[in-house]
Amino acid sequence: MEDITKISLTQKTLPSGNCQVKFFIEDEQKPQYGYLLVNEPKSVGEILEEIKSRMEQRRMANPFSVKQPLKDDHNFYLYSA
């Protein structure tokens, strides 16, 4: 899995009852931020593992592959800062 040196997050409960997590990845070479929608209460450790897991899935996916196309994940958004 990708080594994320510093990640900070804030959580906000939405009217739907879901939790929106905004996270910042502080990396000098490639700073990023994003959002994760969580359907059930999770600890900070579980949320961090979920973010790391989804980033690894994106890194491993080949968006140009016909056999395994990259699927849209409407619960996880990642942007360059």
Side-chain angles (χ1 to χ4, degrees):
M1 235 184 246
E2 191 173 328
D3 182 31
I4 299 173
T5 55
K6 177 96 170 140
I7 184 167
S8 59
L9 53 91
T10 57
Q11 298 181 42
K12 174 174 137 181
T13 303
L14 303 175
S16 65
N18 293 335
C19 181
Q20 179 189 53
V21 178
K22 182 175 184 179
F23 60 91
F24 298 92
I25 300 168
E26 299 173 26
D27 183 338
E28 290 182 18
Q29 296 177 354
K30 189 178 179 186
Q32 297 174 303
Y33 72 98
Y35 299 90
L36 172 67
L37 183 64
V38 181
N39 298 327
E40 58 192 33
K42 292 187 176 188
S43 70
V44 172
E46 290 173 317
I47 290 171
L48 289 173
E49 286 303 314
E50 181 77 20
I51 291 169
K52 290 177 185 178
S53 172
R54 289 183 186 229
M55 288 184 67
E56 180 68 13
Q57 288 172 9
R58 281 193 175 196
R59 190 179 70 76
M60 298 299 289
N62 182 352
F64 304 108
S65 172
V66 176
K67 292 181 181 178
Q68 294 179 339
L70 184 61
K71 294 180 182 167
D72 289 340
D73 184 352
H74 299 289
N75 292 330
F76 184 76
Y77 296 93
L78 184 63
Y79 307 98
S80 294

